Amino acid sequence: MSEKKHTTMEAIHGAILQAVTDHWKNQPNQLDTVAEYDPFERKPVNSPGVLFSIENMALEGRDGTGRTGIILDCNLTCILSTRTPRVQVEIRQFAAELVRVVEQVGLSHWGLGNACGTPGNVNCQPALYSPEKSGFESWAVTWSQTFYIGGPTVEPAPLPETLYASKSPDIGKPSQPDYQQLTGFDDESQ
């Protein structure tokens, strides 16, 4: 059985952005922008562009190895200039190609191994992107995916069967013979 891997938010962002960049690297219509969405950025994105964001996070729970499953609602927004010929058709084609990236690379876990599950609820729709309020057409490709963060935890030590106590300053190894056993606790194992 292979060791369970874990990841970080930084690695998730990097892996998804890298997958988008790599997909268009050798195509004639290369992307001018591949970046994380910054809600405070007011400059327009160079077209064609893709912005990545995480819209929501929800706890899925621990997987038994110390990793915590976090369900991320991811968003890749594709952006084209309105000067693009047949922009309505082209933006939909662009979004469809991003769906392929999510489906193909996401199913192969973005290069993160078993640190993530498979993407689900893949959807595509018109998006609102307008740092300058005009000049762009955009569609968003959204999906949910579980990513496992954190690492293996140390197994908890077993609970002691008996407890002993003493009063300060009569504590430590020299005072051990004088410790008193604590009694009167309910048996919690039943």
Side-chain angles (χ1 to χ4, degrees):
M1 184 173 161
S2 66
E3 180 181 332
K4 299 284 186 181
K5 295 182 181 177
H6 67 278
T7 192
T8 63
M9 292 305 275
E10 184 174 336
I12 294 165
H13 280 246
I16 292 171
L17 291 171
Q18 190 62 54
V20 171
T21 300
D22 290 349
H23 182 77
W24 268 274
K25 188 174 13 183
N26 297 319
Q27 294 190 21
N29 297 349
Q30 292 184 2
L31 300 177
D32 283 341
T33 303
V34 177
E36 295 168 343
Y37 172 69
D38 179 354
F40 302 106
E41 180 62 59
R42 297 293 174 231
K43 295 184 296 187
V45 169
N46 291 332
S47 173
V50 173
L51 298 177
F52 174 67
S53 63
I54 294 176
E55 305 296 323
N56 190 43
M57 295 192 294
L59 177 66
E60 181 168 283
R62 293 199 174 268
D63 71 347
T65 67
R67 303 181 313 169
T68 300
I70 304 281
I71 304 167
L72 301 182
D73 292 334
C74 301
N75 179 323
L76 286 170
T77 300
C78 52
I79 300 163
L80 284 179
S81 166
T82 53
R83 293 185 217 152
T84 304
R86 300 186 70 212
V87 69
Q88 292 304 318
V89 173
E90 292 300 319
I91 195 68
R92 291 179 186 106
Q93 178 60 40
F94 193 177
E97 195 60 27
L98 272 176
V99 166
R100 284 175 26 95
V101 171
V102 170
E103 190 258 337
Q104 291 174 359
V105 184
L107 279 175
S108 65
H109 304 259
W110 307 104
L112 298 172
N114 63 15
C116 65
T118 57
N121 302 320
V122 180
N123 192 7
C124 198
Q125 67 228 354
L128 296 174
Y129 168 77
S130 58
E132 63 173 23
K133 305 271 187 228
S134 64
F136 291 95
E137 181 62 47
S138 59
W139 271 59
V141 174
T142 59
W143 74 98
S144 297
Q145 191 165 8
T146 299
F147 291 86
Y148 297 98
I149 60 173
T153 57
V154 176
E155 287 296 316
L159 293 175
E161 293 181 21
T162 55
L163 296 173
Y164 293 90
S166 182
K167 293 182 182 177
S168 181
D170 300 326
I171 59 173
K173 207 166 192 103
S175 299
Q176 264 183 342
D178 299 325
Y179 278 25
Q180 298 293 316
Q181 183 176 355
L182 301 177
T183 60
F185 296 103
D186 293 333
D187 185 1
E188 295 179 5
S189 65
Q190 297 178 5

